[in-house]
Amino acid sequence: ILGLRAETTIGAPLEKVLSFIMDLSWRANWNYNFMEGKVLEQLDEFRTEHWNFKRNRDIVAATRVLRYPSGSVLFIARSLTYLK
């Protein structure tokens, strides 16, 4: 997969949905082949996470949640090379 874009409408309070998406302990329940994840760094709305998938695949991703005055939210996750 080179890229993925998705849009959905969920009948739940926004804070509950964001909490669910950002909680790495629950991600294995809805993300295919996801085994575990951990936060490497946190700075305001920016977060660097390590994701471990089945079949020996690991990803380090920079994630960010943007909130707009209209009430919509954008969750961005980009893979990156983590040298630390």
Side-chain angles (χ1 to χ4, degrees), residues 17-33:
V17 174
L18 284 176
S19 171
F20 178 77
I21 289 172
M22 299 305 288
D23 183 357
L24 292 173
S25 67
W26 281 95
R27 200 164 286 173
N29 294 319
W30 60 271
N31 197 329
Y32 183 70
N33 279 337

Side-chain angles (χ1 to χ4, degrees), residues 5 8 10 17 22-23 25 27 35 39 42 45 50 57 61 66-68 72-74 77-78 84:
R5 181 180 176 135
T8 189
I10 300 171
V17 174
M22 299 305 288
D23 183 357
S25 67
R27 200 164 286 173
M35 290 175 41
V39 176
Q42 176 85 46
E45 77 270 14
H50 174 254
R57 294 191 62 207
L66 298 174
R67 299 169 188 245
Y68 295 100
S72 64
V73 172
L74 177 62
R78 294 196 172 146
K84 196 165 193 182

Side-chain angles (χ1 to χ4, degrees), residues 7-61:
E7 185 175 324
T8 189
T9 302
I10 300 171
L14 179 59
E15 292 305 319
K16 195 169 197 170
V17 174
L18 284 176
S19 171
F20 178 77
I21 289 172
M22 299 305 288
D23 183 357
L24 292 173
S25 67
W26 281 95
R27 200 164 286 173
N29 294 319
W30 60 271
N31 197 329
Y32 183 70
N33 279 337
F34 187 87
M35 290 175 41
E36 66 177 343
K38 66 180 175 179
V39 176
L40 301 175
E41 291 180 292
Q42 176 85 46
L43 180 61
D44 297 325
E45 77 270 14
F46 297 96
R47 192 157 96 170
T48 305
E49 301 175 359
H50 174 254
W51 302 337
N52 186 10
F53 290 86
K54 294 177 184 173
R55 298 188 183 154
N56 222 11
R57 294 191 62 207
D58 287 23
I59 296 174
V60 174

